[in-house]
Amino acid sequence: MLDRLCAGQVPPKPHLVFRAPSGEPYYEECVTRGGFDGAFSILYHQHRPHEAEPGPAEHGFRVPHRAPTPPLARRHFRCLELGGAGGAPLDCRTALLFNEHVVLGFARPTASDPAYFVNADADELFFVLRGTGTLRSLFGDLEFQQGDYLCIPKGTLHRFVLEAGSEQAWLSIECLGGVGIPAHYRNPVGQLKMDAPYSHRDFRRPSFVGPLDEKIRELVVKRGQAFFGFQLAHTPLDVVGWDGAVYPFAFPISAFQPRVGQIHLPPPVHTTFEARGAVICSFVPRPLDFHASANPCPYPHSSVDVDEVLFYANGAFSSRRGIGEGSLSHHPAGIPHGPHPGAYENAPGQTHTDELAVMLDVSAPLFATAEANGVEDAQYHASFRAK
Ligand SMILES: [Fe+2]
C-alpha cells in the first residue's frame, strides 16, 4: 500500500452524513485490511454498494490443479507457447506454478473484460510483458503498458479495458496472503526512505473519473478458488469521491534503481515487492561488480529454504542459456542451482548486463500444472551438464 490519496468529493470526517445536491444520501464503503487494523480506503457511492443478487457465474479462469509430481529437477516453461489463449482477462488466465501462498499464471487476453471482477482470494500482481490498456476500478482509471507491474488489492472491483490492436502477454501472480512494499524501505512515518530502490514519484495511481455507467451489471467474485456470479442493481462505478491508502497502482520495472557492489550482491538487493511466503525481485539493466577480480556472474547456490522462479522479459540473461522472452524457470530447493556451463567461467571482465527479468523466491514448494507441463523444455535440467 502506498501513501494516502484523496479524489473527488469527501466529507470533512469519515462517517458523517454526506448528501448529494439533490438531498439524497451518499453511501460509504469502507475497504479495510487486517480486519479494521490495517490500511483502508473509504469510498462514497451514489447508491447502496451492497446490493447484488446472486446469479450464474459465466466467467472465470481455471484455478490451479496439481499435475503428477515429476522428478525433482530444474525446469523451464515457455509461456508464449501456451495454447488456448484469447478472450477476456477474466477468462483466459492459465495457472502454471502454485503453492499455498502464490499462484503464478500467464494470460494473453484479446478482449476487454465483459464483466466486473473482484478477487476476494488474493492481491493480484501482474507484470506486463506486452500490451497496453486501462485498469478501470472504483478508484479511477489506471493506464498500463509494457514493462509495468500492476498491483490490484484484494477485493477491488475492476475490469480490464484493452487498447484496440495491442497484443497482450502478462505474467500474473496471485498473492494469497497479500503483497506490498517491504517495510524496511519505509521510514517511521511510512515514506519511502531515500535509499529505497524507488521513490513515491515512480508509482502511478488511478486517475479518478467520477460516476460512470458502462451499462455492465454482471459481477464475478472469486472466493475460495471458486467463481460466483452476481447481478448488480446499478452501475458499481457510482463513486463521487474516495480517500485512503488502499488502491491499485502501477510501477514500471524500468524505474527500479538497481544496486551494484564491488563484489556480487545477493538477490535481496533486487527486492521490489514482498508477499506472504515470497519476495518479488526485479533484475534490470545495470553495470556489473567492479572489484578488479570480481566474478560478476551469479555463483552456484543452495538456498535450501526457497524455490526460485525467474520470468525472463528481455535482454541476455548472463547466467542462463536456452531461455528467451516469456521463459519461466523453476529451480526447486533441494538441489543446487547456478549458471550454465561457460557462463561462470567467461563472466570475469564483463562490465554491464542488459537483462530484464522478474524473480520470485518462495518459501513453500511450488507445484506445476498440466498446462505448464505442456510447454516444458524437457532438455533444460540436462542443459546444466558440462559437456
Ligand atoms: Fe537462486
Side-chain angles (χ1 to χ4, degrees):
M1 310 309 146
L2 292 171
D3 38 342
R4 172 189 174 269
L5 288 186
C6 183
Q9 310 166 57
V10 299
K13 279 181 175 293
H15 324 317
L16 298 183
V17 173
F18 184 33
R19 294 186 186 280
S22 66
E24 292 294 310
Y26 291 136
Y27 296 89
E28 270 189 359
E29 179 187 5
C30 295
V31 178
T32 71
R33 304 299 299 260
F36 289 86
D37 290 333
F40 64 93
S41 286
I42 303 179
L43 304 105
Y44 295 87
H45 292 266
Q46 292 174 316
H47 304 97
R48 289 154 53 86
H50 48 302
E51 286 184 339
E53 291 298 317
E58 295 179 351
H59 297 280
F61 47 86
R62 189 173 143 83
V63 298
H65 293 281
R66 181 176 170 178
T69 304
L72 195 66
R74 293 176 282 272
R75 307 184 73 187
H76 168 208
F77 309 99
R78 295 189 171 104
C79 298
L80 291 173
E81 293 182 3
L82 283 164
L90 178 48
D91 293 312
C92 74
R93 201 184 307 186
T94 302
L96 299 171
L97 295 170
F98 69 100
N99 62 21
E100 65 265 44
H101 303 305
V102 292
V103 181
L104 283 89
F106 197 69
R108 303 193 74 182
T110 55
S112 299
D113 280 322
Y116 297 111
F117 177 45
V118 166
N119 190 334
D121 281 334
D123 285 347
E124 301 257 37
L125 186 66
F126 292 91
F127 177 73
V128 180
L129 180 68
R130 301 177 186 169
T132 305
T134 300
L135 173 74
R136 178 159 294 157
S137 74
L138 297 183
F139 301 93
D141 281 357
L142 179 61
E143 295 182 357
F144 64 87
Q145 60 189 5
Q146 180 174 322
D148 280 346
Y149 287 103
L150 260 183
C151 183
I152 309 175
K154 181 199 279 192
T156 300
L157 185 145
H158 69 276
R159 76 181 191 98
F160 281 102
V161 181
L162 308 185
E163 184 175 292
S166 175
E167 183 193 355
Q168 311 283 337
W170 310 344
L171 175 72
S172 67
I173 308 169
E174 278 189 279
C175 300
L176 296 159
V179 67
I181 290 166
H184 64 272
Y185 289 162
R186 295 183 186 273
N187 65 24
V189 298
Q191 274 182 307
L192 291 170
K193 290 158 66 172
M194 297 185 78
D195 62 350
Y198 34 56
S199 80
H200 287 272
R201 300 178 194 176
D202 294 319
F203 293 82
R204 299 201 313 277
R205 286 83 167 166
S207 296
F208 184 62
V209 291
L212 178 68
D213 188 350
E214 301 185 289
K215 309 298 183 191
I216 295 172
R217 296 293 184 266
E218 186 178 357
L219 169 66
V220 177
V221 177
K222 176 174 180 281
R223 180 65 173 161
Q225 297 292 16
F227 291 85
F228 303 91
F230 292 88
Q231 279 296 312
L232 299 162
H234 41 69
T235 175
L237 304 180
D238 63 343
V239 174
V240 299
W242 65 272
D243 75 341
V246 177
Y247 51 85
F249 62 81
F251 173 73
I253 194 170
S254 59
F256 187 81
Q257 301 158 201
R259 302 267 163 91
V260 177
Q262 186 191 49
I263 58 170
H264 201 75
L265 296 174
V269 299
H270 305 288
T271 299
T272 311
F273 300 107
E274 231 169 34
R276 187 188 70 197
V279 292
I280 296 106
C281 301
S282 302
F283 288 95
V284 301
R286 62 192 184 280
L288 291 172
D289 321 319
F290 51 87
H291 189 286
S293 299
N295 188 335
C297 189
Y299 39 83
H301 55 282
S302 290
S303 294
V304 298
D305 291 322
V306 293
D307 279 16
E308 180 207 90
V309 173
L310 263 164
F311 179 74
Y312 301 86
N314 205 350
F317 207 81
S318 60
S319 60
R320 307 272 171 86
R321 65 180 189 223
I323 53 92
E325 182 193 19
S327 285
L328 185 75
S329 66
H330 174 210
H331 290 189
I335 49 178
H337 63 246
H340 266 107
Y344 192 70
E345 297 82 348
N346 299 327
Q350 292 177 8
T351 59
H352 188 270
T353 176
D354 64 352
E355 68 194 19
L356 187 67
V358 175
M359 192 208 80
L360 282 84
D361 270 343
V362 305
S363 61
L366 285 166
F367 304 107
T369 63
E371 290 83 356
N373 291 347
V375 293
E376 182 171 13
D377 164 12
Q379 306 307 313
Y380 184 69
H381 186 85
S383 71
F384 284 85
R385 274 189 222 128
K387 297 281 190 273

